Amino acid sequence: MRILVTGGAGFIGSHLVRRLLSEGHNPVVNLDALRYSGNLENLADVAHDPRYAFVHGDICDAGTVERVLKEHNIDSVVNCAAETHVDRSILEPNSFARTDVVGTAVLLEEVRKAKVARFLQVSTDEVYGSVEHGWSKEDDTLAPRSPYSASKAGADLLVLSYWATYKFPVLITRGSNTYGPNQYPEKFIPLFITNAIDDQLLPLYGDGRYRRDWLSVHDHCRAIEHVLRYGAPGNVYNIGGGNEQENITVAEMILKHLGKSMELIRFVEDRPGHDRRYAVDWSRLRLLGWSPRVRFEEGLCTTVDWYRTHESWWRKIKAGEFRAYYEEVYRKRLEEAG
Ligand code: TYD
């Protein structure tokens, strides 16, 4: 396929670009605005691959999207461009509405006009809201509770409207919490790993008993590629990892693997509107022929080792943009926790 990946310099996007190239797709074009979490270092290994092209631009800019689709004769688009962090969405909700909702709306119109053959929206299990029991199915009512998940849910509804209204061949994947190398250290797992390496406190929200189903970024990207090839247009596919864990258990596993003291864990003031649990039923995707391969214990250790051996990657980030954000979100919480 001739694929455009938006947000290809981000965490999931960069792993997806690499995966698509390794699967033989040609070209793989990456359109990325390079905002705070977009980082071309994530793709340094493929930067000179003749099948890969990078375009600096924003999905909200219709002219740029139109030009890229035309210039590269794109037939399939995967939208990974998004603001994705719940805590940031509490601080600045409007940037989420802009990138996640308006950006998706602009993209959809351009891909429809260009008559691309497939459009895949990378979404999240957070659109179902908190599920205390059971597993969310693709047709469940959406009940997002943060500006982030509400923006993603809005985008999902827009995407589905293009199938209902125009029979435009859209697909949606809703992945569970994803982890792996190159994840920006605002997220739980890389924040805890990098803090622990530096013997800094690990700020665990609330009682630490919130539950997430952890999905390796490699399994996640394999699922996206699988849905892009084999998914039925108009359909949503949940992607789960089969690795449901309480946050405190994950924190302990990280500390254990690093040989650090459990005393580094600090229970801090909870995130407002914190969803207790996410869990998806991914039997639809299993029927399509995909299942996860990476065991969490293994994937987590590999991820910890990646951060251990790529200090220059994350130290630059933590000393830069991330610093002021960390102060704002965590300093008071940690001071109050003593
Ligand atoms: P996160 O990576 O922000 O993903 P999401 O909230 O979108 O699932 O957080 C994962 C879990 O970890 C979530 O329950 C919140 C919790 N968490 C902490 O306890 N401390 C932290 O510093 C962060 C970033 C998250």
Short mmCIF file of all heavy atoms in Angstrom, two decimals, residues 249-286:
data_model
loop_
_atom_site.label_atom_id
_atom_site.label_comp_id
_atom_site.label_asym_id
_atom_site.label_seq_id
_atom_site.Cartn_x
_atom_site.Cartn_y
_atom_site.Cartn_z
N THR A 249 1.17 -2.59 41.19
CA THR A 249 1.93 -3.79 40.80
C THR A 249 2.95 -3.43 39.72
O THR A 249 4.10 -3.89 39.76
CB THR A 249 0.96 -4.88 40.26
OG1 THR A 249 -0.08 -5.04 41.19
CG2 THR A 249 1.66 -6.19 40.01
N VAL A 250 2.52 -2.60 38.78
CA VAL A 250 3.44 -2.19 37.70
C VAL A 250 4.61 -1.41 38.30
O VAL A 250 5.79 -1.65 37.95
CB VAL A 250 2.70 -1.35 36.63
CG1 VAL A 250 3.66 -0.89 35.55
CG2 VAL A 250 1.54 -2.15 36.03
N ALA A 251 4.30 -0.49 39.23
CA ALA A 251 5.37 0.30 39.87
C ALA A 251 6.37 -0.63 40.57
O ALA A 251 7.59 -0.47 40.45
CB ALA A 251 4.76 1.28 40.87
N GLU A 252 5.85 -1.63 41.26
CA GLU A 252 6.73 -2.57 41.98
C GLU A 252 7.58 -3.39 41.01
O GLU A 252 8.76 -3.64 41.27
CB GLU A 252 5.88 -3.49 42.87
CG GLU A 252 5.35 -2.76 44.10
CD GLU A 252 4.26 -3.53 44.85
OE1 GLU A 252 3.85 -4.62 44.39
OE2 GLU A 252 3.81 -3.02 45.89
N MET A 253 6.97 -3.79 39.90
CA MET A 253 7.74 -4.57 38.91
C MET A 253 8.90 -3.75 38.36
O MET A 253 10.00 -4.26 38.14
CB MET A 253 6.81 -5.00 37.76
CG MET A 253 5.82 -6.08 38.15
SD MET A 253 4.53 -6.30 36.88
CE MET A 253 5.43 -7.20 35.63
N ILE A 254 8.63 -2.46 38.09
CA ILE A 254 9.69 -1.58 37.55
C ILE A 254 10.83 -1.46 38.57
O ILE A 254 12.01 -1.63 38.23
CB ILE A 254 9.11 -0.18 37.22
CG1 ILE A 254 8.16 -0.28 36.02
CG2 ILE A 254 10.22 0.84 36.96
CD1 ILE A 254 7.32 0.97 35.76
N LEU A 255 10.46 -1.20 39.81
CA LEU A 255 11.50 -1.03 40.85
C LEU A 255 12.29 -2.31 41.03
O LEU A 255 13.52 -2.28 41.19
CB LEU A 255 10.84 -0.60 42.17
CG LEU A 255 10.29 0.83 42.17
CD1 LEU A 255 9.45 1.10 43.42
CD2 LEU A 255 11.44 1.85 42.08
N LYS A 256 11.59 -3.43 41.00
CA LYS A 256 12.27 -4.71 41.19
C LYS A 256 13.28 -4.95 40.06
O LYS A 256 14.43 -5.32 40.31
CB LYS A 256 11.22 -5.83 41.22
CG LYS A 256 11.76 -7.15 41.65
CD LYS A 256 10.65 -8.09 42.10
CE LYS A 256 11.23 -9.49 42.22
NZ LYS A 256 10.56 -10.48 41.39
N HIS A 257 12.84 -4.69 38.82
CA HIS A 257 13.74 -4.94 37.70
C HIS A 257 14.96 -4.02 37.74
O HIS A 257 16.06 -4.41 37.31
CB HIS A 257 13.00 -4.78 36.37
CG HIS A 257 13.81 -5.21 35.19
ND1 HIS A 257 14.23 -6.51 35.00
CD2 HIS A 257 14.31 -4.51 34.14
CE1 HIS A 257 14.94 -6.59 33.90
NE2 HIS A 257 15.01 -5.39 33.35
N LEU A 258 14.77 -2.82 38.29
CA LEU A 258 15.90 -1.88 38.37
C LEU A 258 16.72 -2.08 39.65
O LEU A 258 17.75 -1.42 39.84
CB LEU A 258 15.38 -0.43 38.33
CG LEU A 258 14.94 0.10 36.96
CD1 LEU A 258 14.18 1.41 37.11
CD2 LEU A 258 16.14 0.28 36.04
N GLY A 259 16.25 -2.96 40.53
CA GLY A 259 16.95 -3.18 41.80
C GLY A 259 16.86 -1.96 42.72
O GLY A 259 17.80 -1.67 43.47
N LYS A 260 15.74 -1.24 42.64
CA LYS A 260 15.57 -0.04 43.47
C LYS A 260 14.61 -0.31 44.63
O LYS A 260 13.82 -1.25 44.59
CB LYS A 260 15.02 1.11 42.61
CG LYS A 260 15.90 1.48 41.44
CD LYS A 260 17.05 2.35 41.87
CE LYS A 260 17.88 2.79 40.67
NZ LYS A 260 18.89 3.77 40.99
N SER A 261 14.66 0.59 45.61
CA SER A 261 13.85 0.41 46.81
C SER A 261 12.37 0.72 46.55
O SER A 261 12.04 1.70 45.87
CB SER A 261 14.36 1.36 47.90
OG SER A 261 13.39 1.50 48.90
N MET A 262 11.48 -0.10 47.16
CA MET A 262 10.03 0.13 47.05
C MET A 262 9.65 1.45 47.75
O MET A 262 8.57 1.98 47.54
CB MET A 262 9.24 -1.03 47.67
CG MET A 262 9.51 -2.36 47.00
SD MET A 262 8.90 -2.41 45.27
CE MET A 262 9.95 -3.68 44.57
N GLU A 263 10.58 1.95 48.58
CA GLU A 263 10.33 3.22 49.30
C GLU A 263 10.18 4.40 48.35
O GLU A 263 9.74 5.47 48.74
CB GLU A 263 11.50 3.54 50.24
CG GLU A 263 11.84 2.43 51.22
CD GLU A 263 10.90 2.44 52.41
OE1 GLU A 263 10.88 3.46 53.10
OE2 GLU A 263 10.17 1.43 52.60
N LEU A 264 10.59 4.22 47.10
CA LEU A 264 10.47 5.34 46.15
C LEU A 264 9.01 5.63 45.78
O LEU A 264 8.69 6.70 45.27
CB LEU A 264 11.26 5.05 44.86
CG LEU A 264 12.79 5.14 44.96
CD1 LEU A 264 13.44 4.75 43.64
CD2 LEU A 264 13.21 6.57 45.34
N ILE A 265 8.11 4.67 46.05
CA ILE A 265 6.70 4.90 45.71
C ILE A 265 6.08 5.91 46.68
O ILE A 265 6.21 5.78 47.89
CB ILE A 265 5.89 3.57 45.76
CG1 ILE A 265 6.42 2.61 44.69
CG2 ILE A 265 4.40 3.83 45.59
CD1 ILE A 265 5.77 1.23 44.70
N ARG A 266 5.42 6.94 46.13
CA ARG A 266 4.69 7.91 46.97
C ARG A 266 3.25 7.97 46.51
O ARG A 266 2.98 8.20 45.33
CB ARG A 266 5.25 9.33 46.79
CG ARG A 266 6.40 9.69 47.63
CD ARG A 266 6.03 9.73 49.13
NE ARG A 266 7.25 9.94 49.91
CZ ARG A 266 8.18 9.03 50.14
NH1 ARG A 266 8.05 7.81 49.69
NH2 ARG A 266 9.26 9.32 50.84
N PHE A 267 2.33 7.75 47.42
CA PHE A 267 0.91 7.92 47.08
C PHE A 267 0.62 9.41 47.11
O PHE A 267 0.89 10.07 48.11
CB PHE A 267 0.04 7.18 48.10
CG PHE A 267 0.15 5.69 47.97
CD1 PHE A 267 1.08 4.97 48.72
CD2 PHE A 267 -0.65 5.00 47.08
CE1 PHE A 267 1.21 3.60 48.57
CE2 PHE A 267 -0.53 3.63 46.93
CZ PHE A 267 0.41 2.93 47.67
N VAL A 268 0.13 9.94 46.00
CA VAL A 268 -0.11 11.38 45.91
C VAL A 268 -1.58 11.64 45.56
O VAL A 268 -2.33 10.71 45.22
CB VAL A 268 0.79 12.06 44.84
CG1 VAL A 268 2.26 11.89 45.17
CG2 VAL A 268 0.48 11.52 43.44
N GLU A 269 -1.96 12.92 45.66
CA GLU A 269 -3.33 13.34 45.35
C GLU A 269 -3.77 12.78 44.00
O GLU A 269 -3.00 12.81 43.03
CB GLU A 269 -3.37 14.87 45.32
CG GLU A 269 -4.74 15.45 45.18
CD GLU A 269 -4.68 16.94 44.83
OE1 GLU A 269 -3.71 17.62 45.25
OE2 GLU A 269 -5.59 17.40 44.13
N ASP A 270 -5.00 12.33 43.94
CA ASP A 270 -5.49 11.65 42.74
C ASP A 270 -5.72 12.63 41.59
O ASP A 270 -5.88 13.83 41.79
CB ASP A 270 -6.81 10.93 43.07
CG ASP A 270 -6.98 9.68 42.25
OD1 ASP A 270 -6.23 9.49 41.28
OD2 ASP A 270 -7.87 8.87 42.59
N ARG A 271 -5.74 12.07 40.40
CA ARG A 271 -6.10 12.83 39.19
C ARG A 271 -7.62 13.06 39.24
O ARG A 271 -8.37 12.12 39.54
CB ARG A 271 -5.73 11.97 37.99
CG ARG A 271 -6.27 12.42 36.66
CD ARG A 271 -6.09 11.34 35.61
NE ARG A 271 -4.74 11.24 35.11
CZ ARG A 271 -4.31 10.27 34.30
NH1 ARG A 271 -5.12 9.29 33.93
NH2 ARG A 271 -3.07 10.24 33.88
N PRO A 272 -8.10 14.29 38.94
CA PRO A 272 -9.56 14.51 38.94
C PRO A 272 -10.23 13.64 37.87
O PRO A 272 -9.72 13.50 36.76
CB PRO A 272 -9.71 15.99 38.57
CG PRO A 272 -8.35 16.58 38.58
CD PRO A 272 -7.33 15.48 38.58
N GLY A 273 -11.35 13.03 38.24
CA GLY A 273 -12.11 12.21 37.27
C GLY A 273 -11.37 10.96 36.83
O GLY A 273 -11.64 10.43 35.75
N HIS A 274 -10.46 10.48 37.67
CA HIS A 274 -9.62 9.33 37.32
C HIS A 274 -10.46 8.08 37.04
O HIS A 274 -11.20 7.62 37.93
CB HIS A 274 -8.65 9.08 38.49
CG HIS A 274 -7.51 8.19 38.16
ND1 HIS A 274 -6.46 8.00 39.03
CD2 HIS A 274 -7.22 7.43 37.08
CE1 HIS A 274 -5.60 7.17 38.51
NE2 HIS A 274 -6.04 6.81 37.32
N ASP A 275 -10.35 7.52 35.85
CA ASP A 275 -11.10 6.31 35.50
C ASP A 275 -10.50 5.11 36.22
O ASP A 275 -9.29 4.86 36.13
CB ASP A 275 -11.06 6.07 33.98
CG ASP A 275 -11.93 7.06 33.21
OD1 ASP A 275 -12.90 7.58 33.80
OD2 ASP A 275 -11.62 7.32 32.03
N ARG A 276 -11.36 4.33 36.88
CA ARG A 276 -10.88 3.23 37.72
C ARG A 276 -10.26 2.10 36.90
O ARG A 276 -9.24 1.54 37.25
CB ARG A 276 -12.06 2.69 38.55
CG ARG A 276 -11.66 1.74 39.66
CD ARG A 276 -10.88 2.48 40.71
NE ARG A 276 -10.55 1.67 41.88
CZ ARG A 276 -9.67 2.03 42.79
NH1 ARG A 276 -9.01 3.19 42.69
NH2 ARG A 276 -9.41 1.28 43.83
N ARG A 277 -10.93 1.78 35.83
CA ARG A 277 -10.47 0.61 35.06
C ARG A 277 -10.86 0.73 33.60
O ARG A 277 -11.95 1.22 33.30
CB ARG A 277 -11.12 -0.65 35.66
CG ARG A 277 -10.86 -1.95 34.91
CD ARG A 277 -11.47 -3.13 35.67
NE ARG A 277 -11.31 -4.39 34.96
CZ ARG A 277 -12.24 -4.93 34.18
NH1 ARG A 277 -13.40 -4.32 33.98
NH2 ARG A 277 -12.01 -6.09 33.58
N TYR A 278 -9.97 0.30 32.73
CA TYR A 278 -10.31 0.11 31.32
C TYR A 278 -10.04 -1.36 30.99
O TYR A 278 -9.01 -1.91 31.41
CB TYR A 278 -9.42 0.93 30.38
CG TYR A 278 -9.40 2.42 30.61
CD1 TYR A 278 -8.20 3.10 30.74
CD2 TYR A 278 -10.58 3.15 30.68
CE1 TYR A 278 -8.17 4.47 30.94
CE2 TYR A 278 -10.56 4.52 30.87
CZ TYR A 278 -9.35 5.17 31.01
OH TYR A 278 -9.32 6.52 31.20
N ALA A 279 -10.93 -1.95 30.24
CA ALA A 279 -10.70 -3.32 29.78
C ALA A 279 -11.57 -3.56 28.56
O ALA A 279 -12.76 -3.23 28.57
CB ALA A 279 -11.06 -4.32 30.88
N VAL A 280 -10.96 -4.07 27.49
CA VAL A 280 -11.73 -4.29 26.27
C VAL A 280 -11.82 -5.77 25.92
O VAL A 280 -10.93 -6.57 26.22
CB VAL A 280 -11.12 -3.55 25.04
CG1 VAL A 280 -11.32 -2.06 25.17
CG2 VAL A 280 -9.65 -3.91 24.83
N ASP A 281 -12.94 -6.09 25.27
CA ASP A 281 -13.13 -7.40 24.68
C ASP A 281 -12.61 -7.28 23.24
O ASP A 281 -13.12 -6.49 22.46
CB ASP A 281 -14.63 -7.72 24.70
CG ASP A 281 -14.97 -9.04 24.01
OD1 ASP A 281 -14.26 -9.42 23.06
OD2 ASP A 281 -15.96 -9.66 24.41
N TRP A 282 -11.57 -8.04 22.92
CA TRP A 282 -11.00 -7.92 21.57
C TRP A 282 -11.24 -9.18 20.73
O TRP A 282 -10.49 -9.49 19.81
CB TRP A 282 -9.51 -7.55 21.63
CG TRP A 282 -8.71 -8.34 22.62
CD1 TRP A 282 -8.56 -8.06 23.95
CD2 TRP A 282 -7.97 -9.55 22.38
NE1 TRP A 282 -7.78 -9.02 24.55
CE2 TRP A 282 -7.40 -9.94 23.61
CE3 TRP A 282 -7.73 -10.32 21.24
CZ2 TRP A 282 -6.62 -11.08 23.73
CZ3 TRP A 282 -6.95 -11.47 21.36
CH2 TRP A 282 -6.40 -11.83 22.60
N SER A 283 -12.38 -9.87 21.02
CA SER A 283 -12.64 -11.11 20.28
C SER A 283 -12.86 -10.84 18.77
O SER A 283 -12.58 -11.70 17.94
CB SER A 283 -13.80 -11.89 20.88
OG SER A 283 -14.88 -11.05 21.15
N ARG A 284 -13.37 -9.64 18.44
CA ARG A 284 -13.58 -9.33 17.01
C ARG A 284 -12.24 -9.36 16.26
O ARG A 284 -12.14 -9.87 15.15
CB ARG A 284 -14.23 -7.95 16.89
CG ARG A 284 -14.57 -7.56 15.48
CD ARG A 284 -15.26 -6.22 15.39
NE ARG A 284 -16.65 -6.26 15.82
CZ ARG A 284 -17.47 -5.20 15.84
NH1 ARG A 284 -17.01 -4.02 15.47
NH2 ARG A 284 -18.71 -5.32 16.24
N LEU A 285 -11.22 -8.83 16.90
CA LEU A 285 -9.89 -8.79 16.27
C LEU A 285 -9.26 -10.19 16.26
O LEU A 285 -8.55 -10.56 15.33
CB LEU A 285 -9.00 -7.78 17.00
CG LEU A 285 -7.66 -7.46 16.37
CD1 LEU A 285 -7.77 -7.08 14.91
CD2 LEU A 285 -6.97 -6.34 17.14
N ARG A 286 -9.56 -10.96 17.30
CA ARG A 286 -9.06 -12.34 17.32
C ARG A 286 -9.64 -13.11 16.12
O ARG A 286 -8.95 -13.85 15.43
CB ARG A 286 -9.44 -13.02 18.63
CG ARG A 286 -8.74 -14.37 18.82
CD ARG A 286 -9.50 -15.28 19.74
NE ARG A 286 -9.61 -14.76 21.09
CZ ARG A 286 -8.71 -14.93 22.04
NH1 ARG A 286 -7.60 -15.59 21.79
NH2 ARG A 286 -8.91 -14.45 23.25
#
